[in-house]
Amino acid sequence: MVVAAVASVDRDGFMKMASMKKRLLLLHGFGIYTPFFNSSTPSSSSSCTKAVLSPEIPNQKKNYSKVAAESTGPIPSNQLLLAVETAATTGAEVVMDAVNKPRTITYKGLTDLVTETDKMSEAAILEVVKKNFSDHLILGEEGGLIGDSSSDYLWCIDPLDGTTNFAHCYPSFAVSVGVLFRGKPAAAAVVEFVGGPMCWNTRIFSAVSGGGAFCNGQKIHASLTDKVEQSLLVTGFGYEHDDAWATNIDLFKEFTDVSRGVRRLGAAAVDMCHVALGIVEAYWEYRLKPWDMAAGVLIVEEAGGVVSCMDGEIFCVFDRSVLVSNGVLHAQLLERIGPATEKLKKKGIDFSLWFKPENYRTEL
């Protein structure tokens, strides 16, 4: 049985929904499951990995351009963040309800999967967004672009990031929801599924522009590792085995030789949250989409990390490559990743903006 509610997050209903969120409890066949935590009250009994807690540190890194919006606009930051968290946790309830059930799988391509759970999760998220912000623009992985393109707000929704992992019950998948204000990330929430069969659980990462990054209510910070040879790295590979894919295979080999290892887990939002949590030092990938990156890049930056394109240029959510790091290592990583990306550009590989909704106003 799943106990859930979809509540309005307008000013009148704000406190009501905050109270509802505190009480949220899901009961599954494998035991009591308490996936979502109030952002102001960390759970002392949670079995999730402890967030990396660190004091503020001096800026030891080159000044890279910020990707976050300067503000959340006319919507108060706490109201927008609560709406984003509610949308993500509502989608995660759908995923949790399906995680131990047989999957109905179809294909977008030869190996690119989509399940009924992806679609149901997105529908549940859309219901939350539309109920609270009917005039906002929405870009979902499954449903595409809907809403008012004249809005300053664009919701980027990945209802099930890491679908292949989900299909195999491999514990590296998430629900990711990010909101842009005039083209830049303003609020984000990622609900990561951890554990595995017989012991599924979740942890929620969240951030709002200028407000820091959190995991289950505890403030987190990227690692302080300043040597590549002492770092653990993460990358990803798309479904198209093209020149960019081959270049990243070479980068995978290069960094495997000079670091403590390179992991490929298969869920971009999760990988970026792990950088923010301080358990890996960096993540990079070609050929991502806005719904893959909108939430994760804000969480990394608010955790003290740095975000750029893989050629070192200023990043925006509509770009075709991303490198996120703890910041301290960013320049060292770009010494290898940058030239490899420049070679792709010289070959004529397209690195222009992937997509920006027509008439959507941005500050890019």
Side-chain angles (χ1 to χ4, degrees):
M1 177 183 178
V2 178
V3 180
V6 177
S8 176
V9 199
D10 58 21
R11 294 177 184 275
D12 293 336
F14 187 81
M15 294 307 297
K16 180 180 179 182
M17 203 193 65
S19 177
M20 176 276 293
K21 185 167 173 277
K22 254 184 166 179
R23 299 193 304 269
L24 191 59
L25 180 82
L26 301 184
L27 179 62
H28 286 265
F30 47 84
I32 297 293
Y33 162 64
T34 55
F36 314 131
F37 300 87
N38 182 274
S39 59
S40 62
T41 312
S43 170
S44 60
S45 61
S46 170
S47 61
C48 298
T49 301
K50 185 178 180 181
V52 174
L53 304 176
S54 68
E56 296 300 317
I57 60 171
N59 189 354
Q60 305 173 41
K61 43 193 179 276
K62 173 184 172 182
N63 289 326
Y64 291 91
S65 295
K66 292 286 188 181
V67 302
E70 291 186 5
S71 75
T72 58
I75 301 174
S77 59
N78 59 350
Q79 184 180 349
L80 186 62
L81 180 60
L82 183 55
V84 173
E85 288 178 331
T86 302
T89 54
T90 299
E93 292 169 34
V94 174
V95 177
M96 180 58 76
D97 190 49
V99 75
N100 287 321
K101 296 177 181 178
R103 276 82 162 133
T104 301
I105 298 172
T106 55
Y107 291 85
K108 300 178 185 178
L110 182 63
T111 57
D112 190 2
L113 312 182
V114 62
T115 70
E116 285 301 311
T117 304
D118 293 72
K119 299 173 184 177
M120 292 170 61
S121 173
E122 185 161 311
I125 294 168
L126 289 177
E127 186 176 351
V128 174
V129 178
K130 290 177 179 178
K131 183 167 185 175
N132 293 286
F133 306 111
S134 60
D135 58 337
H136 285 190
L137 189 61
I138 303 169
L139 178 63
E141 180 175 11
E142 308 307 328
L145 189 67
I146 60 173
D148 184 357
S149 63
S150 67
S151 174
D152 285 331
Y153 295 91
L154 172 62
W155 291 67
C156 298
I157 296 167
D158 194 337
L160 182 46
D161 182 34
T163 299
T164 300
N165 290 339
F166 168 79
H168 287 267
C169 282
Y170 183 82
S172 185
F173 53 90
V175 175
S176 176
V177 180
V179 184
L180 311 184
F181 176 66
R182 295 180 179 171
K184 295 185 176 184
V190 174
V191 180
E192 178 192 7
F193 284 72
V194 298
M198 310 301 172
C199 62
W200 287 111
N201 207 331
T202 64
R203 56 186 173 193
I204 182 169
F205 295 85
S206 61
V208 67
S209 177
F214 297 82
C215 177
N216 289 353
Q218 296 187 66
K219 194 169 186 179
I220 57 175
H221 202 287
S223 82
L224 307 182
T225 301
D226 61 357
K227 295 180 176 62
V228 172
E229 59 267 29
Q230 295 176 0
S231 65
L232 184 62
L233 309 173
V234 186
T235 189
F237 298 92
Y239 296 104
E240 294 181 28
H241 291 194
D242 55 6
D243 286 344
W245 183 91
T247 294
N248 203 27
I249 287 287
D250 291 338
L251 288 170
F252 185 98
K253 293 175 183 176
E254 286 186 44
F255 280 109
T256 297
D257 287 340
V258 299
S259 71
R260 288 181 175 173
V262 182
R263 304 290 182 255
R264 194 273 188 168
L265 302 178
V270 171
D271 296 338
M272 286 187 265
C273 286
H274 288 180
V275 175
L277 191 59
I279 58 177
V280 298
E281 276 64 53
Y283 160 78
W284 69 88
E285 187 167 350
Y286 296 111
R287 299 286 191 263
L288 293 175
K289 302 294 191 298
W291 50 76
D292 296 311
M293 303 184 287
V297 294
L298 180 63
I299 292 168
V300 168
E301 188 170 276
E302 289 296 329
V306 162
V307 183
S308 75
C309 292
M310 287 175 64
D311 59 2
E313 294 298 317
I314 296 171
F315 172 86
C316 85
V317 167
F318 306 108
D319 272 309
R320 295 176 189 251
S321 73
V322 68
L323 166 63
V324 304
S325 78
N326 65 356
V328 186
L329 285 174
H330 210 82
Q332 296 178 57
L333 297 169
L334 281 172
E335 288 175 5
R336 295 172 184 265
I337 295 174
T341 304
E342 290 295 341
K343 287 181 181 178
L344 287 173
K345 291 163 74 174
K346 289 177 180 178
K347 284 184 177 182
I349 303 299
D350 188 5
F351 280 92
S352 63
L353 296 185
W354 173 76
F355 172 76
K356 185 176 80 68
E358 188 176 357
N359 300 323
Y360 175 60
R361 293 176 293 179
T362 72
E363 294 178 346
L364 301 176

